[in-house]
Amino acid sequence: MTLVVVTGAGGFVGAHLVHALKSSQPTVRVRGVDVRPPAYGPSEADEFVHADLREPDRCAAALAGADQVFALAANMGGIGWTHAAPAEILRDNLLISVNTVEACRRAAVGTVVYTSSACVYPNSLQRRPDSAPLREDPVFPADPDMEYGWEKLTTEILCGTFRRTYDMDIKIARLHAVYGPLGAYSGLRAKSLSMLCGKVAAVPGRSGEIEVWGDGTQTRSYCYIDDCVTGLLRLARSTVDQPVNIGSEERISIADLVGRIAAIAGKEIVPRYRPDKPVGPLGRVSDNALCRHLLGWQPATSLDDGLRRTYGWIAEHLASARTGEEAQR
């Protein structure tokens, strides 16, 4: 059987990717690799290897025998985490990425899919809420978003160099704000959409106030997890040898996002904006023209549909957690 290894299989995107591989490709054997297990249940992988990929030997052993590798492992989180731990993020992710690419080279892995990020794009292109959607080509002169973006861009260069030098089949997906069930919705590692869903769901009754970082005018485009996974699988099967965006072109301001979440929740929510908190780029939206052309891919899930599914999961999970806490009292 074909052996597919998913690094970062304990994380949000990794867990969904493992599920999709097992559901759609019964002839493959999936090995999940991560330093920790999935947060919301056991992994669906045929085998799950606990390994710290910052250690070269552990990384090589975890990838041994792989025919295909999805390299998702990273020390990552929301904007709170990227501001709280920049040195840790840069150090850990450089080690993970270099070890993974080198291990794939030594193991003669057939196909490698590396998940990069929209954080590689220059800050100069994202300074207004109405900034133009981000195409794949303008990444130089380099000015990525914080240390996380610098590491992602550096690894893109590493992948391109290994592709040319060693004739490796390495593909690069630049993910844009992926969200959905099973994602963190509280703490520094939570991303903005899930964090806001969690805050609204935690409001008791039908009205209340939540804290929102920034002034609400910053804009984003959010890609639902099922669409992201479909894009990654299609990229893996393709002959594409250049970075492609995997994101949504549906722009929304944070203020409007709060309003939509509140409407789905059936609550009256008053945002308490915090302009003193980190907000990241003021406008970040994916341009999917290249991905449509090369892969025939574009998101199939509207933001409203994705929000309903995500908010429903978060609200249910919060309610279950409360019930469990009450039962222990």
Side-chain angles (χ1 to χ4, degrees):
M1 298 180 72
T2 299
L3 176 60
V4 179
V5 174
V6 178
T7 73
F12 164 54
V13 177
H16 281 276
L17 179 58
V18 168
H19 171 76
L21 285 165
K22 293 303 301 176
S23 301
S24 63
Q25 301 184 35
T27 60
V28 306
R29 179 174 179 80
V30 178
R31 178 190 297 157
V33 179
D34 209 316
V35 72
R36 60 181 60 87
Y40 301 108
S43 175
E44 296 180 50
D46 296 290
E47 58 176 315
F48 192 92
V49 176
H50 293 268
D52 186 341
L53 302 185
R54 294 173 299 180
E55 301 175 12
D57 292 344
R58 297 293 304 278
C59 184
L63 271 56
D67 299 294
Q68 186 178 71
V69 170
F70 287 88
L72 278 59
N75 182 342
M76 65 177 299
I79 192 166
W81 181 244
T82 57
H83 278 259
E88 179 182 333
I89 287 169
L90 184 59
R91 176 199 65 208
D92 288 356
N93 291 342
L94 283 171
L95 290 169
I96 291 168
S97 295
V98 170
N99 289 343
T100 298
V101 173
E102 175 62 9
C104 288
R105 181 188 73 83
R106 293 189 178 188
V109 174
T111 299
V112 181
V113 177
Y114 171 70
T115 51
S116 184
S117 166
C119 291
V120 302
Y121 289 111
N123 285 304
S124 60
L125 302 178
Q126 306 170 76
R127 289 177 176 161
R128 296 161 44 117
D130 62 350
S131 294
L134 295 164
R135 294 180 290 107
E136 286 83 352
D137 52 343
V139 290
F140 297 102
D143 182 24
D145 185 12
M146 298 196 63
E147 287 75 8
Y148 181 75
W150 278 105
E151 185 279 323
K152 287 296 186 183
L153 184 57
T154 300
T155 301
E156 284 195 13
I157 296 170
L158 177 73
C159 289
T161 305
F162 270 53
R163 183 191 304 116
R164 294 188 301 272
T165 304
Y166 303 115
D167 196 29
M168 293 177 66
D169 180 19
I170 305 182
K171 307 172 192 305
I172 298 170
R174 291 179 183 157
L175 305 188
H176 288 247
V178 183
Y179 73 100
L182 305 185
Y185 56 85
S186 63
L188 292 179
R189 291 189 184 272
K191 300 297 185 69
S192 60
L193 184 149
S194 295
M195 172 73 82
L196 291 172
C197 284
K199 288 181 177 181
V200 171
V203 170
R206 290 297 172 186
S207 64
E209 180 183 86
I210 65 169
E211 180 180 281
V212 179
W213 288 13
D215 63 6
T217 62
Q218 63 270 33
T219 62
R220 293 292 185 272
S221 64
Y222 294 94
C223 183
Y224 189 65
I225 183 61
D226 290 357
D227 295 325
C228 170
V229 167
T230 298
L232 290 175
L233 293 175
R234 191 168 295 189
L235 178 61
R237 296 191 296 266
S238 76
T239 58
V240 173
D241 62 356
Q242 62 191 98
V244 293
N245 287 329
I246 300 291
S248 169
E249 295 176 314
E250 187 175 356
R251 185 193 300 266
I252 188 169
S253 72
I254 296 301
D256 287 344
L257 179 62
V258 172
R260 289 206 201 180
I261 296 170
I264 289 170
K267 298 182 180 184
E268 293 185 8
I269 299 297
V270 177
R272 179 164 52 89
Y273 292 111
R274 293 289 305 274
D276 57 310
K277 293 288 188 177
V279 297
L282 296 183
R284 175 178 288 167
V285 177
S286 179
D287 183 324
N288 290 349
L290 185 63
C291 201
R292 279 194 296 270
H293 173 67
L294 295 178
L295 298 178
W297 176 91
Q298 61 184 5
T301 309
S302 70
L303 180 58
D304 283 337
D305 285 345
L307 273 176
R308 277 190 286 270
R309 299 174 198 173
T310 304
Y311 181 82
W313 178 83
I314 291 173
E316 181 179 351
H317 195 266
L318 269 175
S320 297
R322 290 194 199 101
T323 301
E325 289 173 0
E326 291 172 358
Q328 292 176 357
R329 289 173 185 165

